Amino acid sequence: MAMWIQAQQLQGDALHQMQALYGQHFPIEVRHYLAQWIESQLWDSVELDNPAEETKAKRLLDNLVAELQKKAQVQGGEDGFLLKIKLGHYASQLKSTYDRCPLELVRCIKHILQSEQRLVQEATNASSGSGGQAMDTLSQRHQQINQAFEELRLATQETENELRKLQQSQEYFIIQYQENMRIQAQLSSLSSLPPTERTQRETTLQSKRATVEAWLAREASTLQKYRLDLAEQHQKTLGLLRKQQTVILDEELIQWKRRQQLAGNGGPNEGGLDVLQSWCEKLADLIWQNRQQIRRCEHLTQQLPLPGPMVELLSKLNADITDIISALVTSTFIIEKQPPQVLKTQTKFAATVRLLVGGKLNVHMNPPQVKAVIVSEQQAKALLKNESTHSESSGEILNNNCVMEYHQATGTLSAHFRNMSLKRIKRSDRRGAESVTEEKFTVLFESQFSIGGNELVFHVKTLSLPVVVIVHGSQDNNATATVLWDNAFAEPGRVPFIVPEKVLWPQLCEALDMKYKAEMHSGRGLSDDNLVFLAQKAFSSSSNNSEDYRNMTISWAQFNRESLPGRNFTFWQWFDGVVELMKKHLKPHWNDGAILGFVNKQQAQDMLMSKPNGTFLLRFSDSEIGGITIAWVAENPNKSGERLVWNLLPYTTKDFSIRSLADRISDLNHLLYLYPDRPKDEVFAKYYTPPLCMFIDLHKSQ
């Protein structure tokens, strides 16, 4: 409810934007009376593109309707009677609207809550800024963009006012021109009159004609100046539009795409797409208004041709504004939800494309169809160079056509591909040591539509992030390495899909830490000590100083092509094995801090020898992918008074599928303290499986 209380404090444009979120699709009264209930539901847990989630969405709809009916029943008094009827009506209305498409209700409420949160955040930032506190960079950028929009709105309003004045002046000019023609006709008809009367009338008419013609000459010059001034104003506005469009498309949208790419490596959710859409829609609106103004200027010029450069000037302005709108439309056809970057043949996958200006330009009035095709790296290069690759593909995708739908509640125009499947793939000739899991493809989405009553026709296309195609699960970890390296180190605007052959070690550390934290769902990532351990493994080094690795580079070959010394696996395969083991079986123990993990055999020995017997630690196996071993210190049974560090054979996923780590530690009575000095039951007891007799006793007591 806290969000709704804050939303009600909004003022001015922010308040209007908030009110505009509501309507018949979701009445504002429902938001008001069910604020606490709405904000406590897990709307984000519903995957909108997964039809299997419809049951969950249906349950949320039924609960919403039930809450509304309950609220209606408790209303009393004179005002309560009307409210009771109104809330009951809304309950029926929402039920009938969303009963067949409950996921749309979830989409609508998620959009409303996210938009309210954004508006409240922006208002909070603005007020803290006016209080003399420094606003963060993000809100400063947003403020600059909004100020530029206000400038553009005022400039467009000014040219609209000037255009109306020009139109009125021109209409009056045409009336006076017609008057001059009438005087001319009267002069021509004087020949039939007697000489005396003719002379008198002729003098009067000639004087009148001279006055009108002088006015027309002056006014023609004034009109031409008006036209030139207006063209100059339009030129300035177009310059501002280009500048604003560059900020939004070449900076903000590119940054959003970069965040989306890093999210593929486990980075934070890209977010901010609704804000981008609102900016793109404002741009579309302003561009279209200016385009209409320029066309009206062309019409006025055709209606009353005057000597001068106006025809050429307007023709250039028209071409420029068409270029601007073309760039906006083609750049805002984006992939909202990327296809999986490791793509297995014969497996269902999904993707969503969205046209950020689709609602504003009424593209949804004649819904366009989008087609998805898989293309190779070479074909992607040719596409970006505008070399014709029409109909070329590198495989066959089933269910690859989808119509864009307009969602009234969120104002979005998008196509949800829910059931695509890659039936077959055509691979290219590989280079040198490159394996199939290093070959990159991309999914090309393309569509064609028109705006302004077929006035402008657009062929739009967009490429997905690179995908690696596999045919067997065993290829997954090598394919993931290719994707991780690409997502982490791709430069904006690169030629598809070029990445550096080597990178600085700290850059790779950042990517590995991001991936690890995401897989563990934890804020506990890789510590400096963990990263030193990984550097020692990657570079076959013994240095414990992180500074020694700061300027070292690691190549793709060292990362996932060449085996580690004395092993039959690569650095990445070892690391990925650790991640998979932790993710499936040991995540809680990592998050509890119970697993040190990144410790080699010698380090473990040094650490344990200074501790009491029975002290143990958990470290990842050096010799086995996805293995974890227990190292502990104890007396040497063969030599009295001597202590040794023992290492169990590594446990793997297979072992933990039979019996958990906690239970295995519980079974081993000689393990007493988790390093440095925590009694093992204090750390692991909450994960022990209760003995069977406890289940029987519990059952009896019930």
Side-chain angles (χ1 to χ4, degrees), residues 317-566:
L317 283 171
N318 208 345
D320 287 349
I321 197 98
T322 303
D323 283 349
I324 293 171
I325 202 161
S326 297
L328 179 66
V329 172
T330 52
S331 299
T332 55
F333 181 63
I334 58 147
I335 302 170
E336 182 177 1
K337 182 187 175 188
Q338 291 280 344
Q341 286 187 265
V342 176
L343 198 54
K344 193 178 174 194
T345 54
Q346 314 294 336
T347 305
K348 192 174 90 166
F349 69 95
T352 303
V353 292
R354 178 163 158 185
L355 182 64
L356 298 179
V357 293
K360 186 57 73 173
L361 295 177
N362 291 326
V363 173
H364 58 282
M365 302 305 280
N366 186 14
Q369 189 169 75
V370 184
K371 184 180 180 182
V373 182
I374 191 156
V375 297
S376 68
E377 190 170 326
Q378 285 304 115
Q379 288 165 337
K381 281 178 189 170
L383 271 167
L384 291 189
K385 286 180 187 170
N386 285 324
E387 293 170 9
S388 178
T389 59
H390 195 62
S391 301
E392 277 191 45
S393 75
S394 288
E396 183 183 350
I397 298 178
L398 302 178
N399 303 317
N400 67 330
N401 283 292
C402 187
V403 173
M404 294 193 100
E405 296 173 37
Y406 183 65
H407 304 277
Q408 187 83 39
T410 57
T412 57
L413 181 73
S414 52
H416 300 283
F417 291 84
R418 293 185 173 91
N419 296 295
M420 288 193 285
S421 175
L422 184 59
K423 186 179 177 184
R424 61 176 183 82
I425 191 69
K426 178 182 159 192
R427 297 195 182 274
S428 56
D429 295 331
R430 289 188 293 284
R431 300 169 293 227
E434 190 181 80
S435 69
V436 292
T437 54
E438 291 178 46
E439 186 178 4
K440 298 172 197 173
F441 295 88
T442 178
V443 180
L444 164 69
F445 295 92
E446 52 187 340
S447 182
Q448 186 168 311
F449 52 83
S450 60
I451 60 172
N454 291 334
E455 218 178 288
L456 296 171
V457 178
F458 295 103
H459 178 224
V460 294
K461 57 196 174 197
T462 188
L463 296 171
S464 76
L465 291 171
V467 298
V468 178
V469 176
I470 62 171
V471 295
H472 194 275
S474 62
Q475 298 171 309
D476 187 82
N477 75 345
N478 287 327
T480 303
T482 302
V483 166
L484 180 130
W485 190 277
D486 193 283
N487 285 344
F489 309 124
E491 293 287 335
R494 63 172 170 176
V495 173
F497 289 108
I498 291 174
V499 282
E501 191 54 40
K502 58 172 74 171
V503 296
L504 284 169
W505 172 249
Q507 289 178 283
L508 182 62
C509 288
E510 195 179 327
L512 294 177
D513 182 51
M514 186 183 284
K515 180 79 174 169
Y516 195 83
K517 277 198 284 202
E519 297 292 6
M520 295 303 112
H521 296 111
S522 166
R524 185 191 169 204
L526 300 172
S527 68
D528 286 346
D529 287 343
N530 298 157
L531 295 170
V532 165
F533 170 88
L534 290 171
Q536 290 172 337
K537 188 171 283 292
F539 299 114
S540 302
S541 166
S542 58
S543 170
N544 288 320
N545 186 354
S546 61
E547 287 300 315
D548 291 345
Y549 303 106
R550 187 166 296 283
N551 296 315
M552 289 181 74
T553 58
I554 182 165
S555 67
W556 165 254
Q558 286 170 290
F559 180 65
N560 195 45
R561 195 177 279 169
E562 299 164 356
S563 293
L564 291 168

Side-chain angles (χ1 to χ4, degrees), residues 565-579:
R567 306 292 181 203
N568 62 352
F569 48 79
T570 66
F571 171 82
W572 164 257
Q573 287 164 351
W574 181 88
F575 182 81
D576 187 56
V578 164
V579 171

Side-chain angles (χ1 to χ4, degrees), residues 560-620:
N560 195 45
R561 195 177 279 169
E562 299 164 356
S563 293
L564 291 168
R567 306 292 181 203
N568 62 352
F569 48 79
T570 66
F571 171 82
W572 164 257
Q573 287 164 351
W574 181 88
F575 182 81
D576 187 56
V578 164
V579 171
E580 285 302 304
L581 175 75
M582 298 295 289
K583 186 168 68 172
K584 287 176 183 168
H585 301 286
L586 307 177
K587 199 188 293 180
H589 303 305
W590 173 266
N591 292 334
D592 286 350
I595 295 175
L596 287 177
F598 300 96
V599 175
N600 65 39
K601 206 169 186 177
Q602 186 58 52
Q603 283 175 307
Q605 176 141 340
D606 295 343
M607 291 162 76
L608 291 169
M609 285 302 283
S610 62
K611 297 296 174 185
N613 288 344
T615 304
F616 68 99
L617 58 77
L618 296 148
R619 52 173 288 269
F620 301 129

Side-chain angles (χ1 to χ4, degrees), residues 9-22:
Q9 310 303 314
L10 293 170
Q11 295 178 350
D13 186 46
L15 180 62
H16 291 311
Q17 283 185 56
M18 189 268 282
Q19 289 169 335
L21 296 169
Y22 298 95

